[in-house]
Amino acid sequence: MLSGQIPEGTTLDIVALRNELGVSLTALRESLKVLAAKGMVDARQRRGTYVRPRGDWNLLDTDVLRWRFGDSGVAAPDHQALLRSLGELHRIVEPGAARLAAIRRTDTDLAAMQSALARVQNVDVLEQAAEAAHAYQGFRRALLTAARNEILERVGAVVTLGMSFGDQLSQRVLARNDAFLPHLYGVFEAVRERNPDLAERTMRAFLGEVAEAD
């Protein structure tokens, strides 16, 4: 479905699908309920279960993102388009989060951000790339939490998760860790000094450099 092998509007042959997948009818129905909850399929009398238009899909759902990146049937151009879209959203969300964090942060938020930055700085990015990426993502999560906006935090968390699936942003950052880390410390200092303009500007500049590093 995600690969486009089952086009939008297709009515699913439940019996044939069950036989193809080798699962019970109960298991198949439960799976279809999951897909329905994510806006991907629907069922109507006389029509049966069908694939809904892609515009109805919840593309920011964490399961959908995981499926898209994990499905070997999804073409590389689709991955690149998804990463580009996530990256654009990323550059919209995080500068605003940095601005709000500079206004609303607590000492606990600062401690979380500083701890994450220290972990990034202290690990060997070649030997401990996964740990460094995790620490970097921890900084972003702490920044989003400090913004004290539940919707922004949820959207930002999904974007961060999506980018980590593609492993694109983390790899760019880690490949030039020495160059990029001072920018993140700049964001941290601006948030600590409660300077929203500087926090937003520094985060925007950082993300712009990351995008150019591609």
Side-chain angles (χ1 to χ4, degrees), residues 171-182:
Q171 288 302 320
R172 291 185 199 155
V173 171
L174 296 177
R176 296 179 54 192
N177 193 47
D178 292 340
F180 287 145
L181 192 56

Side-chain angles (χ1 to χ4, degrees), residues 1-12 17 20 50-52 57:
M1 190 179 301
L2 286 168
S3 64
Q5 293 179 355
I6 304 178
E8 301 171 25
T10 300
T11 298
L12 301 177
L17 190 59
E20 178 183 348
Y50 64 95
V51 179
R52 295 178 63 178
W57 298 3

Side-chain angles (χ1 to χ4, degrees), residues 131-209:
E131 183 177 339
H134 181 73
Y136 172 63
Q137 292 164 15
F139 173 82
R140 292 151 68 184
R141 286 193 296 270
L143 184 71
L144 289 165
T145 299
R148 295 291 180 275
N149 182 304
E150 186 179 35
I151 302 301
L152 181 62
E153 185 175 0
R154 296 292 178 84
V155 172
V158 170
V159 173
T160 297
L161 180 63
M163 295 301 288
S164 70
F165 285 146
D167 206 29
Q168 184 163 314
L169 184 57
S170 293
Q171 288 302 320
R172 291 185 199 155
V173 171
L174 296 177
R176 296 179 54 192
N177 193 47
D178 292 340
F180 287 145
L181 192 56
H183 291 284
L184 293 183
Y185 271 107
V187 173
F188 170 76
E189 290 296 335
V191 171
R192 185 175 68 174
E193 297 299 323
R194 297 191 185 279
N195 189 330
D197 290 337
L198 181 59
E200 179 178 5
R201 187 166 62 249
T202 306
M203 177 57 80
R204 195 176 301 280
F206 163 69
L207 292 172
E209 287 197 22

Side-chain angles (χ1 to χ4, degrees), residues 26-110:
T26 299
L28 180 58
R29 284 174 174 168
E30 289 301 316
S31 297
L32 291 173
K33 286 180 182 180
V34 172
L35 295 179
K38 300 178 189 305
M40 299 176 69
V41 301
D42 201 355
R44 290 286 185 272
Q45 287 186 349
R46 300 181 182 177
R47 182 175 181 179
T49 301
Y50 64 95
V51 179
R52 295 178 63 178
R54 189 182 182 89
D56 295 338
W57 298 3
N58 184 1
L59 295 178
L60 287 181
D61 182 90
T62 55
D63 286 332
V64 176
L65 285 171
R66 188 176 292 107
W67 295 337
R68 290 188 70 180
F69 281 115
D71 187 351
S72 59
V74 178
D78 183 77
H79 276 189
Q80 293 304 313
L82 176 59
L83 283 170
R84 183 174 62 251
S85 296
L86 287 170
E88 290 169 352
L89 183 57
H90 186 68
R91 292 190 289 276
I92 292 170
V93 167
E94 288 203 349
R99 164 174 284 276
L100 291 177
I103 299 171
R104 300 171 178 173
R105 60 81 173 164
T106 66
D107 289 344
T108 300
D109 296 323
L110 290 178

Side-chain angles (χ1 to χ4, degrees), residues 108-126:
T108 300
D109 296 323
L110 290 178
M113 293 169 63
Q114 190 171 30
S115 176
L117 288 177
R119 289 199 302 274
V120 174
Q121 187 172 26
N122 293 331
V123 298
D124 185 324
V125 296
L126 296 178

